[in-house]
Amino acid sequence: NAGVTQTPKFQVLKTGQSMTLQCAQDMNHEYMSWYRQDPGMGLRLIHYSVGAGITDQGEVPNGYNVSRSTTEDFPLRLLSAAPSQTSVYFCASRQQGISSYEQYFGPGTRLTVT
Amino acid sequence: KQEVTQIPAALSVPEGENLVLNCSFTDSAIYNLQWFRQDPGKGLTSLLLIQSSQREQTSGRLNASLDKSSGRSTLYIAASQPGDSATYLCAVHDNDMRFGAGTRLTVKP
């Protein structure tokens, strides 16, 4: 199993540009999520999905869109990049359930918006 | 709103020392607590997962405890090695997953 994969690893955008961060997992996990990590602030949840066709907002959703057309893929779209979106983005997945399970993370995408 | 705090923010110890990293959280209604390791420029690697009904979990030189009633968890690292140098993050799972800001550990040879 490849686990959770993310592309690209690094990206530089100009203010106003749009792009999609890709995330895929091969563990058949229902739950997938996107976090951003900023210095001194830990990871904050952007959006999450409990299964194909179902998405919801996390703590910091503004400026980001997601969709979940398959169990495996969960792309994150930046509609109009802003310098405040400079961060490291992590995708994660786990099994869904009330007695929750271990969460697995991708290697991250380092995004700089100039 | 759940808040997770990790103290200290940074810790430097000589090789071979036993050490404790602390994690506190404000709402005890959690499903589990997970400790992660993050190396510079890398993703998160899961170390230990403690379910809400458990008091501790052990893996090799690592031992994590959970006291839900007091909103605390500790990660004990025995006989520290330079390879343990990394940032350690705790995360609590209630309806979402909330992370602390991490403790940056340096183990000096």
Side-chain angles (χ1 to χ4, degrees):
Chain A
N1 285 356
V4 181
T5 58
Q6 291 183 238
T7 56
K9 293 196 73 172
F10 302 93
Q11 183 70 49
V12 179
L13 290 178
K14 289 185 167 40
T15 297
Q17 287 185 316
S18 63
M19 79 159 294
T20 299
L21 308 185
Q22 300 293 344
C23 174
Q25 52 89 12
D26 60 0
M27 297 174 281
N28 203 31
H29 287 167
E30 299 96 335
Y31 185 96
M32 296 184 74
S33 53
W34 277 101
Y35 294 85
R36 60 178 289 172
Q37 185 178 33
D38 301 296
M41 298 190 70
L43 278 75
R44 292 181 292 167
L45 181 65
I46 304 172
H47 285 286
Y48 66 95
S49 168
V50 299
I54 306 169
T55 63
D56 208 343
Q57 296 181 350
E59 184 182 357
V60 288
N62 293 340
Y64 307 95
N65 273 1
V66 292
S67 60
R68 185 96 179 267
S69 57
T70 67
T71 299
E72 295 78 19
D73 300 299
F74 190 43
L76 178 73
R77 296 183 188 84
L78 280 70
L79 306 174
S80 177
S84 61
Q85 294 178 305
T86 293
S87 188
V88 182
Y89 292 84
F90 290 101
C91 179
S93 76
R94 61 172 170 80
Q95 295 181 54
Q96 175 70 347
I98 294 177
S99 59
S100 55
Y101 301 93
E102 188 172 356
Q103 183 140 256
Y104 297 86
F105 282 80
T109 294
R110 189 174 297 271
L111 175 68
T112 302
V113 183
T114 61
Chain B
K1 175 186 164 185
Q2 178 79 266
E3 299 203 357
V4 182
T5 304
Q6 290 187 248
I7 294 173
L11 181 64
S12 181
V13 300
E15 181 176 4
E17 196 162 291
N18 302 325
L19 58 101
V20 174
L21 307 181
N22 297 294
C23 173
S24 62
F25 48 96
T26 54
D27 187 345
S28 62
I30 65 171
Y31 296 126
N32 63 41
L33 183 144
Q34 198 167 350
W35 282 94
F36 295 89
R37 170 188 172 131
Q38 186 176 29
D39 293 289
K42 304 291 186 183
L44 279 69
T45 300
S46 179
L47 297 173
L48 290 164
L49 172 72
I50 311 177
Q51 300 290 355
S52 62
S53 58
Q54 297 175 322
R55 297 283 294 186
E56 65 179 329
Q57 281 285 336
T58 298
S59 176
R61 294 183 292 109
L62 305 180
N63 176 277
S65 68
L66 175 63
D67 184 342
K68 267 198 344 174
S69 60
S70 66
R72 295 187 182 197
S73 176
T74 62
L75 179 66
Y76 175 83
I77 302 177
S80 59
Q81 303 170 358
D84 294 331
S85 297
T87 296
Y88 291 80
L89 297 159
C90 74
V92 297
H93 184 189
D94 42 31
N95 292 319
D96 296 320
M97 198 161 198
R98 299 277 182 182
F99 283 80
T103 293
R104 188 170 64 253
L105 173 66
T106 303
V107 181
K108 297 181 177 177

